[in-house]
Amino acid sequence: MSKRYTITAALPYTNGPIHIGHLAGVYVPADIYSRYLRLTGNDVAFICGSDEHGVPITIKAKKEGVTPQDIVDKYHAIIKTSFEDFGISFDNYSRTSAKIHHDTASEFFKTLYDKNEFVEEVSEQLYDAEANQFLADRFVIGTCPKCGFEEAYGDQCENCGTSHNATDLINPKSAITGNTPTLKETKHWFLPLNKHEEFLREWILKGHKKDWKPNVYGQVKSWVDDGLRPRAVTRDLDWGIPVPVEGGEGKVLYVWFDAPIGYISATKEWAARVGKNWEDYWKDENTKLVHFIGKDNIVFHCIIFPSMLKAEGSYILPENVPANEFLNLEGNKLSTSKNWAVWLPEYLEDFPNQQDVLRYALTANAPETKDNDFTWKDFQARNNNELVAIFGNFINRVAVLTNKYYNGEIPQPAEFKAIDEETLAAVKAYPAVIASSIERYRFREGSQELMNLARLGNKYLADEEPWKTIKTDEERTKTVMFVALQIASALAVLSEPFLPFTSDKLKSILNHAELDSELTWEDISTKDVLLPAGHSIQSGKPELLFSKIEDDTIQKQLDKLEASKKANEAANKKVEPQKEEITFDDFTKLDLRVGTILEAEKMPKTKKLLVLKVDTGIDTRTIVSGIAESFSPEDVIGKRVTVLVNLAPRKLRGVESQGMILMTEDESGNLVFVNPNIDGVPNGLKIS
Ligand SMILES: [Zn+2]
């Protein structure tokens, strides 16, 4: 039964490229769902766009000395290209800086304003006097009132996911100056979420108890049970959509008010382009609206946006919000600021034309019910043990043997044996099995069922051994190859939602374009013959669908992450504050000389101490140095060093130490000598 669907994927925030966490959590599942619905004959609008307003963009622009528009132009282009590269099949990818969006969001606000759906309130908001600015959202950092996380933002805690007002933060600090903000009066418009509490209870807590994912339902229930409060939907900022009513000068719409309206404006833009009526996709009760998001966006898509739509009055509400949990990377939380991520443009450079491998690995391990970990070892195993060894191997055998035995022409089968009948019947069951997984948003399960179909083909060939029967029983071989080709054809169609690039390649290997009509999802279960006898597949050596990924390729990725970790640790290492000021006379009291270590031995019964004989140019003296954990005696003999020679002698373990050798530490905490950086500097030379 054909239906109309509006499918939205969270608008990516335009202050950086996107990484595997975004792909796994939102875009790949949304794409699988959309492709499947199109293949099964539904009317689909798959909608997304760049979210280009909000505070982080203005902070980044300030840091880089450019305009916010420069930032969003740059990342909009990068993000859009990544989506195209990975086959995310949006019907429209728009942006919230587009005029159509400004108009749509403005009008939406006006409608609610005219209907008296806002509460207008002069309240005290956090203000940074030095920066001469109100501190909304990410301009302020403080302790989360709910979980105690110390770096929560003004609008949301990234640790526990709670959404709050900036004034709720404990111990707030300005992100611009670091100052403790003061309170200053300003007027804002609030959406009274408390007014919509009953509706939310009725609609979600009663109406969607069974069909929404437990993680989404549970979060919504906890918020509603905690009691909802009015949320400000305007901000004192100069980047965003101007508040279109009297008294709104110098203020813009809160980014989370305008962003979800972006789904509507992107639909409008698309409908105008393709000659459709956008209202069919947003205002017709028969249209099914589904939001794909990550778990950090649940409150906005399940509480705030539906309350806005309800208040407006003419829109449909989402039928489901299948939010995913988070994907971690090699055991750590993905982080843009710490560069702990696999960025899509970089992945494509390192693994050209292997988009489907990443799509598959991310889907097979998707964080659908709990946070999951992406590891490069798992990625390699998914590729080598499943895509190459099962799917790719089966297709390659079928194509090679068909060309070798029959010149590429599908043979006329002889009589089917029970195993052939059973195999063909099993193939016919797959469309319904995979569809059921997809329709219940269980994409990882669906991807495994697809792999099971390839397994079925692989096993059938291994059991029937056409490469043996070709010598003894030509008729039997024809039948086996005919059956195997039907399985290959089913794989070409059913893999499309999950592996779109592979599906295209496989369709061209099998010459699907030469068939009387394009095979649909339904055909796989209803037609007895997918590839008829006499149909020709592509001649010559078939293109390999997948290739093995070697250990050293994986090691390179692990090394890259290790380097990020090191760089990040170095950047985060606390630099000690400068000591109290001294005079030049104080400095000249230090007598620093260039010297050479002549002898070295371990101080008995100690771990840290080496006893050194050092040529200072003045004399050869004994210095006891605490460097034995970083250097063995052999390491340091002959080393050029800097010596503080006029330090009062002191006894260490009975040995008098006459001076000190200057040392520092590298980023891993290993000791490093401070010494002249060229040879030929004589001992005894003064350092000043
Ligand atoms: Zn928190």
Side-chain angles (χ1 to χ4, degrees):
M1 202 54 181
S2 165
K3 264 195 98 165
R4 194 189 299 112
Y5 286 83
T6 302
I7 299 162
T8 72
L11 306 187
Y13 199 61
T14 326
N15 67 341
I18 51 174
H19 57 57
I20 55 168
H22 303 125
L23 212 53
V26 177
Y27 304 105
V28 167
D31 187 59
I32 293 171
Y33 192 66
S34 300
R35 285 176 180 270
Y36 157 75
L37 289 173
R38 290 192 199 103
L39 261 175
T40 46
N42 296 286
D43 178 8
V44 172
F46 182 22
I47 296 297
C48 193
S50 296
D51 177 4
E52 304 189 324
H53 297 131
V55 169
I57 284 165
T58 66
I59 292 180
K60 195 171 178 97
K62 256 186 199 154
K63 251 189 210 160
E64 295 186 12
V66 297
T67 66
Q69 192 65 46
D70 291 333
I71 297 285
V72 300
D73 285 348
K74 176 178 164 188
Y75 289 112
H76 172 73
I78 292 173
I79 292 171
K80 190 164 189 277
T81 303
S82 283
F83 284 140
E84 287 162 5
D85 285 343
F86 280 83
I88 308 299
S89 61
F90 296 129
D91 290 295
N92 192 25
Y93 187 78
S94 188
R95 54 195 303 192
T96 60
S97 62
K99 183 173 184 300
I100 193 167
H101 176 66
H102 275 235
D103 293 348
T104 305
S106 225
E107 202 181 299
F108 200 107
F109 184 91
K110 275 277 286 171
T111 305
L112 296 198
Y113 178 86
D114 291 340
K115 288 182 78 178
N116 255 326
E117 290 286 348
F118 293 131
V119 180
E120 205 174 303
E121 203 181 286
V122 174
S123 63
E124 291 194 310
Q125 294 294 324
L126 302 179
Y127 185 76
D128 184 332
E130 189 185 329
N132 189 26
Q133 191 175 330
F134 280 98
L135 299 176
D137 311 329
R138 299 203 169 195
F139 274 132
V140 56
I141 294 166
T143 302
C144 170
K146 189 159 182 194
C147 75
F149 179 60
E150 287 180 3
E151 282 170 53
Y153 296 117
D155 56 342
Q156 197 182 13
C157 170
E158 290 204 322
N159 188 51
C160 69
T162 307
S163 142
H164 45 236
N165 293 318
T167 45
D168 297 337
L169 287 178
I170 300 157
N171 194 17
K173 288 269 186 296
S174 165
I176 309 166
T177 62
N179 296 343
T180 299
T182 53
L183 288 168
K184 189 175 166 178
E185 281 195 341
T186 179
K187 181 164 86 175
H188 281 294
W189 287 269
F190 290 73
L191 185 67
L193 293 175
N194 43 318
K195 185 180 148 185
H196 301 288
E197 201 176 303
E198 265 324 294
F199 143 70
L200 291 166
R201 273 186 191 286
E202 198 62 32
W203 170 54
I204 302 178
L205 299 186
K206 283 202 186 138
H208 286 295
K209 192 165 187 166
K210 295 222 171 75
D211 59 335
W212 282 23
K213 292 170 78 165
N215 58 330
V216 179
Y217 184 89
Q219 272 204 32
V220 172
K221 184 168 188 323
S222 138
W223 278 311
V224 174
D225 287 348
D226 275 358
L228 299 171
R229 294 193 294 145
R231 286 291 303 264
V233 294
T234 53
R235 292 288 189 266
D236 293 286
L237 281 177
D238 54 8
W239 176 246
I241 298 170
V243 174
V245 298
E246 208 191 306
E249 298 78 19
K251 299 173 198 288
V252 298
L253 303 183
Y254 174 39
V255 62
W256 266 112
F257 183 86
D258 94 67
I261 298 173
Y263 300 139
I264 301 169
S265 30
T267 310
K268 277 188 184 175
E269 191 179 61
W270 165 76
R273 194 167 67 220
V274 299
K276 298 204 178 201
N277 175 10
W278 74 269
E279 290 188 305
D280 290 346
Y281 294 84
W282 280 96
K283 298 189 174 184
D284 180 345
E285 281 299 331
N286 296 315
T287 296
K288 189 171 165 181
L289 172 64
V290 180
H291 297 309
F292 282 86
I293 56 168
K295 70 171 164 188
D296 50 337
N297 291 346
I298 293 175
V299 67
F300 300 105
H301 287 80
C302 299
I303 294 194
I304 300 178
F305 189 44
S307 298
M308 287 160 59
L309 294 171
K310 183 77 169 53
E312 204 278 351
S314 66
Y315 285 86
I316 52 170
L317 297 168
E319 182 139 328
N320 210 324
V321 185
N324 271 335
E325 301 287 296
F326 287 145
L327 184 74
N328 294 324
L329 171 59
E330 300 285 353
N332 290 307
K333 207 172 161 175
L334 278 155
S335 163
T336 301
S337 56
K338 292 179 181 166
N339 195 26
W340 190 258
V342 178
W343 304 102
L344 299 191
E346 280 183 41
Y347 172 87
L348 263 194
E349 267 175 40
D350 295 346
F351 298 92
N353 298 317
Q354 295 181 67
Q355 292 94 324
D356 277 351
V357 180
L358 187 61
R359 284 179 66 120
Y360 181 72
L362 293 177
T363 304
N365 197 20
E368 286 175 1
T369 50
K370 59 176 178 52
D371 288 358
N372 257 357
D373 201 24
F374 175 90
T375 67
W376 281 109
K377 284 280 171 209
D378 177 70
F379 168 86
Q380 181 188 29
R382 294 281 181 194
N383 180 74
N384 293 358
N385 306 342
E386 296 175 19
L387 294 175
V388 174
I390 299 169
F391 196 121
N393 182 46
F394 171 64
I395 297 302
N396 194 50
R397 277 171 159 179
V398 171
V400 167
L401 297 181
T402 305
N403 273 311
K404 189 170 163 193
Y405 301 160
Y406 311 114
N407 224 358
E409 200 172 288
I410 316 290
Q412 185 71 47
E415 208 172 313
F416 288 139
K417 286 189 184 175
I419 178 71
D420 310 325
E421 302 277 11
E422 284 161 20
T423 302
L424 289 170
V427 172
K428 284 185 176 182
Y430 273 94
V433 169
I434 297 174
S436 158
S437 296
I438 294 177
E439 284 172 13
R440 287 175 299 136
Y441 310 103
R442 297 183 180 181
F443 303 105
R444 55 190 296 174
E445 184 185 278
S447 72
Q448 294 318 293
E449 290 298 347
L450 176 71
M451 194 50 72
N452 285 339
L453 174 57
R455 264 188 198 104
L456 175 80
N458 224 20
K459 182 171 187 312
Y460 177 78
L461 274 192
D463 289 348
E464 301 310 309
E465 300 182 301
W467 46 87
K468 281 193 183 160
T469 60
I470 188 74
K471 292 166 204 150
T472 55
D473 188 345
E474 278 192 30
E475 288 307 301
R476 178 62 196 152
T477 310
K478 284 181 185 169
T479 308
V480 169
M481 288 309 298
F482 177 86
V483 171
L485 280 153
Q486 307 310 311
I487 303 172
S489 194
L491 273 174
V493 175
L494 301 184
S495 64
E496 201 221 286
F498 301 92
L499 309 168
F501 298 93
T502 305
S503 165
D504 277 352
K505 280 186 205 164
L506 184 47
K507 282 176 189 162
S508 66
I509 289 173
L510 299 175
N511 252 339
H512 268 202
E514 298 294 312
L515 293 171
D516 291 341
S517 63
E518 201 181 336
L519 290 174
T520 67
W521 190 274
E522 207 191 339
D523 290 341
I524 309 305
S525 49
T526 55
K527 284 193 168 174
D528 286 327
V529 175
L530 303 173
L531 288 184
H535 170 87
S536 284
I537 67 165
Q538 215 174 60
S539 60
K541 203 168 183 285
E543 183 186 1
L544 283 179
L545 296 179
F546 305 101
S547 51
K548 197 173 173 219
I549 295 173
E550 302 295 342
D551 288 346
D552 60 345
T553 307
I554 293 304
Q555 192 55 47
K556 267 183 207 148
Q557 295 300 324
L558 292 171
D559 291 348
K560 211 167 169 177
L561 283 174
E562 193 54 33
S564 288
K565 195 179 233 169
K566 281 246 165 76
N568 193 52
E569 278 166 8
N572 282 345
K573 199 158 190 183
K574 285 238 161 55
V575 174
E576 286 175 31
Q578 184 177 309
K579 289 183 187 168
E580 202 180 320
E581 192 175 279
I582 59 167
T583 64
F584 185 70
D585 284 347
D586 290 335
F587 171 69
T588 55
K589 283 182 187 163
L590 298 175
D591 191 346
L592 294 164
R593 304 288 177 117
V594 175
T596 301
I597 297 174
L598 302 177
E599 295 172 25
E601 58 186 28
K602 278 203 90 167
M603 172 86 87
K605 292 180 189 165
T606 67
K607 264 193 194 164
K608 285 190 174 175
L609 301 179
L610 287 188
V611 181
L612 310 171
K613 285 270 188 305
V614 182
D615 177 355
T616 63
I618 308 165
D619 52 20
T620 296
R621 61 174 77 186
T622 301
I623 294 176
V624 180
S625 187
I627 58 174
E629 283 179 326
S630 297
F631 301 98
S632 66
E634 310 84 77
D635 291 337
V636 302
I637 293 171
K639 204 60 142 187
R640 306 305 309 279
V641 292
T642 302
V643 194
L644 175 61
V645 292
N646 63 339
L647 184 67
R650 56 182 182 142
K651 278 204 169 166
L652 289 162
R653 301 282 175 118
V655 179
E656 190 175 78
S657 179
Q658 302 159 312
M660 179 186 273
I661 299 200
L662 302 195
M663 309 291 298
T664 184
E665 278 180 12
D666 71 8
E667 62 194 32
S668 315
N670 302 311
L671 291 174
V672 176
F673 286 98
V674 177
N675 53 13
N677 73 347
I678 53 163
D679 292 332
V681 180
N683 289 342
L685 218 70
K686 265 174 68 180
I687 295 168
S688 56

